[in-house]
Amino acid sequence: MWNELLLTLQDANTQWVLFGSILLGVASGVLGSFALLRKQSLIGDAMAHAALPGICLAFLLYGTKSIGWFLVGAALSGLLATYFIQAIINHSRIKEDTAIGLVLSVFFGFGIVLLTKIAQSKNGNQSGLDDFIFGQAASLVGSDVKVISSVAIVLLIITFLLFKELKLFTFDRQFAKGIGLPTGFINALLMTLIVSAVVIGLQAVGVILMAAMLITPAIAARYWTDRLDRMVIVAGTIGALSGILGTILSSMASNLPTGPVIVLAATVIFIISLVFAPNRGLVSKGLKLYRLRKRVARETVLQTMYDLAEEASISNQSMLFTRDQLLTRRRMATRMLDKNLHRLSREGLLNQTDGKWGLTAPGAKAAYEVTFNNRLFEIYTMYEMRFAYLQLAANDAWEYYEIPSHTLNELMELMAVHEHTPQLDPAHFAKGEKYYIANLESNDSNKRKREVKSS
Amino acid sequence: MNPVKVSNVTVAYDRKPVLQEITFDMPEGKLIGVVGPNGAGKSTLIKAILGLIPTASGTVDIYGKPYKSQRKLVGYVPQRGSVDWDFPTNALDVVLMGRYGHIGWFRRPGKKDTAIALQALDKVGMKEYASRQISQLSGGQQQRVFLARALAQDATVYFMDEPFVGVDAATEKAIISLLNELKAQGKTVLVVHHDLQTVKEYFDWTLLLNKRKIALGPTEEVFTIDNLQKTYGGRLSFLDTQLDPSHVVQS
Ligand SMILES: Nc1ncnc2c1ncn2[C@@H]1O[C@H](COP(=O)(O)OP(=O)(O)O)[C@@H](O)[C@H]1O
Ligand SMILES: [Mg+2]
């Protein structure tokens, strides 16, 4: 198999085709990003399907296969289709998606009729028009590749030069117009760029799947980044990879159309992104959720132990508590409680005696930390706007030791005002002085914490 | 010279007139509130002034010249809902867009533009959020980013469409103190406002609008029950229950 691959790659024509597919992939990934963000994925589909009659007519008029004329024909019938779509939206109550579907099927149907007609004619067999349905990269000859690559390079250069304008236009058209960008022109330009990217891909990918080739790399790229410039680069890379894979696989198996293989490759990359992308991917999200749940459950039990101990120490009662006491103090699932009680006792944070649970010395320390952290967070949420500068994302974990010391002091003062300060000092608690009420001022464990913060 | 002079402006969508023969002069260095019921054409008025939509008739002058030649003097804060906040970009990037009009074609924003944008973010208390993806911001924070973008435009006249809608109390205060700061610098700000309770407190001048100009003048002269009745018409019973009389000028 590797020999076969090497042989394929050494073939000069394959190298050309590969070069073309790479540029094609980059161009459709880059412009697909804009199509996706403008919510115009359907337009790409309409364009591709509507191009078919244009290609056929170009063949009928010109007489032989000519990539240049095919592109012209495809672009013209694509634009005509857009015009019809706009006209239908403007002059009837039909909505955009319906209008696109309508025009797309009429144009495509007409294209198939013409294609059948050509196939029945004398020189139909060597027309190579069938390749336009599912795409056949191997059918690209040197001159085709030259045209396709030049167009792709021009598209990329224009996108690079006007990146700033295209970005603003795509994000906020009104504002763009307000500062004097000719939005009508930019709209037409962007449409032309997208249509061109679609049209140059038709022979290699085919009219049916070209829209997928345009959009799939962009959707996949969106998973990996939150910045447009990076998204465009990632989408271009994914497009190029799909192009390479599709071309090589389909040139190794005879009669395997390129389009489906390229799109399949892009789809596989999309699925990998959907599942494995950091932050946005399913695995990452699932893991985060799992860790958060586990942590919250553990902390809930610890904090409930602390709350009970705090209350008990004030009223001078036993510091050992039954399962039921815990459940009464804070509602939680019994299974989760049992699981965490045992986990905590394995960790040496809890002790069980006669069916009652108590905090060990390290347990008291951990429970104090957890309680301090969570109560501080409650204070933070009460004064959220005042502390907005902390720049906490809604899903970031709250850790008091990541907070700047002056803010921590401010929060601790507010915590005292609201009588929310944990009263039970773990240092004395651990020494068996169960009934000691923490005094913030003379509390050296707290001071230590604050010093750690400021360093 | 008046910063904005609107003469006889009429706007129609699909032949349905939305604004009719609007004529007014905006005074310089004032905070001007625009009030009127939903669909009164408040947003349309701003868009017409900024040339974002075609007008059926009439002219708009910014400091005596057509808007086209005065763009750099004008800052714009669109309604927050007018863009897709899931767009892959961060707060600083959005604010930098305010500089695009000064940068010109093909060139990328430079150090100076970034400094101005960061300063604008700082002014609205959002400096720490510069690199935050915009979908991760609260509604009030998104509004502040839009405001910062307008500040980065470094304009003399500002148009803001409902900047107070859906923001928290702290953001509302921050916006108001920013507006007053702009006024202190001699800038003119026109703000579409939906909360009649705060008009008297916030704005020097008020424009009452409902397809036509009902009144424009110093708030203490025009913000009267009488004018509100003309503006809100049949919806007045709603007004009666909503509006504490102390918030309205008694005539
Ligand atoms: N793009 C549009 N096409 C057609 N009608 C519109 C469009 N935008 C606004 N309108 C209509 O114009 C009127 C004024 O709208 P708008 O200026 O948004 O009002 P306001 O901002 O005061 O709520 C409304 O009746 C609205 O339905
Ligand atoms: Mg409006």
PDB file of all heavy atoms in Angstrom, chain A residues 54-66:
ATOM      1  N   GLY A  54     -25.274  26.263 -15.799  1.00  0.00           N
ATOM      2  CA  GLY A  54     -24.312  27.194 -16.387  1.00  0.00           C
ATOM      3  C   GLY A  54     -23.164  26.451 -17.044  1.00  0.00           C
ATOM      4  O   GLY A  54     -22.735  26.775 -18.159  1.00  0.00           O
ATOM      5  N   ILE A  55     -22.670  25.431 -16.335  1.00  0.00           N
ATOM      6  CA  ILE A  55     -21.563  24.634 -16.873  1.00  0.00           C
ATOM      7  C   ILE A  55     -21.995  23.918 -18.157  1.00  0.00           C
ATOM      8  O   ILE A  55     -21.289  23.920 -19.169  1.00  0.00           O
ATOM      9  CB  ILE A  55     -21.089  23.618 -15.815  1.00  0.00           C
ATOM     10  CG1 ILE A  55     -20.459  24.367 -14.637  1.00  0.00           C
ATOM     11  CG2 ILE A  55     -20.096  22.637 -16.401  1.00  0.00           C
ATOM     12  CD1 ILE A  55     -20.231  23.507 -13.418  1.00  0.00           C
ATOM     13  N   CYS A  56     -23.189  23.336 -18.107  1.00  0.00           N
ATOM     14  CA  CYS A  56     -23.683  22.609 -19.278  1.00  0.00           C
ATOM     15  C   CYS A  56     -23.865  23.543 -20.466  1.00  0.00           C
ATOM     16  O   CYS A  56     -23.486  23.219 -21.606  1.00  0.00           O
ATOM     17  CB  CYS A  56     -25.008  21.930 -18.950  1.00  0.00           C
ATOM     18  SG  CYS A  56     -24.831  20.635 -17.725  1.00  0.00           S
ATOM     19  N   LEU A  57     -24.441  24.712 -20.197  1.00  0.00           N
ATOM     20  CA  LEU A  57     -24.654  25.664 -21.285  1.00  0.00           C
ATOM     21  C   LEU A  57     -23.321  26.105 -21.868  1.00  0.00           C
ATOM     22  O   LEU A  57     -23.174  26.238 -23.094  1.00  0.00           O
ATOM     23  CB  LEU A  57     -25.449  26.879 -20.780  1.00  0.00           C
ATOM     24  CG  LEU A  57     -26.958  26.628 -20.635  1.00  0.00           C
ATOM     25  CD1 LEU A  57     -27.647  27.831 -20.022  1.00  0.00           C
ATOM     26  CD2 LEU A  57     -27.575  26.301 -22.004  1.00  0.00           C
ATOM     27  N   ALA A  58     -22.342  26.323 -20.986  1.00  0.00           N
ATOM     28  CA  ALA A  58     -21.016  26.717 -21.475  1.00  0.00           C
ATOM     29  C   ALA A  58     -20.466  25.646 -22.405  1.00  0.00           C
ATOM     30  O   ALA A  58     -19.901  25.951 -23.468  1.00  0.00           O
ATOM     31  CB  ALA A  58     -20.066  26.937 -20.297  1.00  0.00           C
ATOM     32  N   PHE A  59     -20.670  24.383 -22.022  1.00  0.00           N
ATOM     33  CA  PHE A  59     -20.195  23.281 -22.866  1.00  0.00           C
ATOM     34  C   PHE A  59     -20.916  23.276 -24.212  1.00  0.00           C
ATOM     35  O   PHE A  59     -20.299  23.146 -25.274  1.00  0.00           O
ATOM     36  CB  PHE A  59     -20.413  21.941 -22.152  1.00  0.00           C
ATOM     37  CG  PHE A  59     -19.971  20.758 -22.952  1.00  0.00           C
ATOM     38  CD1 PHE A  59     -18.633  20.386 -22.979  1.00  0.00           C
ATOM     39  CD2 PHE A  59     -20.887  20.019 -23.704  1.00  0.00           C
ATOM     40  CE1 PHE A  59     -18.226  19.307 -23.731  1.00  0.00           C
ATOM     41  CE2 PHE A  59     -20.479  18.935 -24.447  1.00  0.00           C
ATOM     42  CZ  PHE A  59     -19.143  18.578 -24.465  1.00  0.00           C
ATOM     43  N   LEU A  60     -22.245  23.450 -24.162  1.00  0.00           N
ATOM     44  CA  LEU A  60     -23.024  23.433 -25.403  1.00  0.00           C
ATOM     45  C   LEU A  60     -22.605  24.566 -26.318  1.00  0.00           C
ATOM     46  O   LEU A  60     -22.505  24.410 -27.541  1.00  0.00           O
ATOM     47  CB  LEU A  60     -24.516  23.533 -25.082  1.00  0.00           C
ATOM     48  CG  LEU A  60     -25.141  22.253 -24.500  1.00  0.00           C
ATOM     49  CD1 LEU A  60     -26.575  22.491 -24.070  1.00  0.00           C
ATOM     50  CD2 LEU A  60     -25.065  21.129 -25.541  1.00  0.00           C
ATOM     51  N   LEU A  61     -22.360  25.729 -25.753  1.00  0.00           N
ATOM     52  CA  LEU A  61     -22.014  26.898 -26.567  1.00  0.00           C
ATOM     53  C   LEU A  61     -20.589  26.805 -27.089  1.00  0.00           C
ATOM     54  O   LEU A  61     -20.306  27.145 -28.242  1.00  0.00           O
ATOM     55  CB  LEU A  61     -22.171  28.191 -25.741  1.00  0.00           C
ATOM     56  CG  LEU A  61     -23.613  28.575 -25.421  1.00  0.00           C
ATOM     57  CD1 LEU A  61     -23.660  29.813 -24.536  1.00  0.00           C
ATOM     58  CD2 LEU A  61     -24.392  28.826 -26.721  1.00  0.00           C
ATOM     59  N   TYR A  62     -19.667  26.345 -26.263  1.00  0.00           N
ATOM     60  CA  TYR A  62     -18.255  26.358 -26.632  1.00  0.00           C
ATOM     61  C   TYR A  62     -17.858  25.094 -27.380  1.00  0.00           C
ATOM     62  O   TYR A  62     -16.913  25.095 -28.163  1.00  0.00           O
ATOM     63  CB  TYR A  62     -17.399  26.524 -25.364  1.00  0.00           C
ATOM     64  CG  TYR A  62     -15.961  26.834 -25.648  1.00  0.00           C
ATOM     65  CD1 TYR A  62     -15.594  28.072 -26.187  1.00  0.00           C
ATOM     66  CD2 TYR A  62     -14.962  25.898 -25.386  1.00  0.00           C
ATOM     67  CE1 TYR A  62     -14.273  28.358 -26.451  1.00  0.00           C
ATOM     68  CE2 TYR A  62     -13.632  26.185 -25.650  1.00  0.00           C
ATOM     69  CZ  TYR A  62     -13.296  27.420 -26.189  1.00  0.00           C
ATOM     70  OH  TYR A  62     -11.977  27.704 -26.450  1.00  0.00           O
ATOM     71  N   GLY A  63     -18.553  23.998 -27.089  1.00  0.00           N
ATOM     72  CA  GLY A  63     -18.330  22.778 -27.862  1.00  0.00           C
ATOM     73  C   GLY A  63     -17.426  21.767 -27.208  1.00  0.00           C
ATOM     74  O   GLY A  63     -17.616  20.571 -27.362  1.00  0.00           O
ATOM     75  N   THR A  64     -16.410  22.212 -26.466  1.00  0.00           N
ATOM     76  CA  THR A  64     -15.570  21.244 -25.758  1.00  0.00           C
ATOM     77  C   THR A  64     -15.398  21.689 -24.313  1.00  0.00           C
ATOM     78  O   THR A  64     -15.847  22.766 -23.920  1.00  0.00           O
ATOM     79  CB  THR A  64     -14.156  21.136 -26.373  1.00  0.00           C
ATOM     80  OG1 THR A  64     -13.568  22.429 -26.315  1.00  0.00           O
ATOM     81  CG2 THR A  64     -14.193  20.608 -27.785  1.00  0.00           C
ATOM     82  N   LYS A  65     -14.733  20.834 -23.562  1.00  0.00           N
ATOM     83  CA  LYS A  65     -14.508  21.122 -22.160  1.00  0.00           C
ATOM     84  C   LYS A  65     -13.462  22.230 -22.013  1.00  0.00           C
ATOM     85  O   LYS A  65     -12.375  22.140 -22.575  1.00  0.00           O
ATOM     86  CB  LYS A  65     -14.008  19.847 -21.481  1.00  0.00           C
ATOM     87  CG  LYS A  65     -13.747  19.964 -20.019  1.00  0.00           C
ATOM     88  CD  LYS A  65     -13.516  18.570 -19.438  1.00  0.00           C
ATOM     89  CE  LYS A  65     -13.034  18.663 -18.013  1.00  0.00           C
ATOM     90  NZ  LYS A  65     -11.593  18.635 -17.892  1.00  0.00           N
ATOM     91  N   SER A  66     -13.822  23.259 -21.292  1.00  0.00           N
ATOM     92  CA  SER A  66     -12.871  24.344 -21.063  1.00  0.00           C
ATOM     93  C   SER A  66     -13.131  24.917 -19.685  1.00  0.00           C
ATOM     94  O   SER A  66     -14.191  25.489 -19.424  1.00  0.00           O
ATOM     95  CB  SER A  66     -13.050  25.431 -22.123  1.00  0.00           C
ATOM     96  OG  SER A  66     -12.764  26.685 -21.561  1.00  0.00           O
TER      97      SER A  66
END
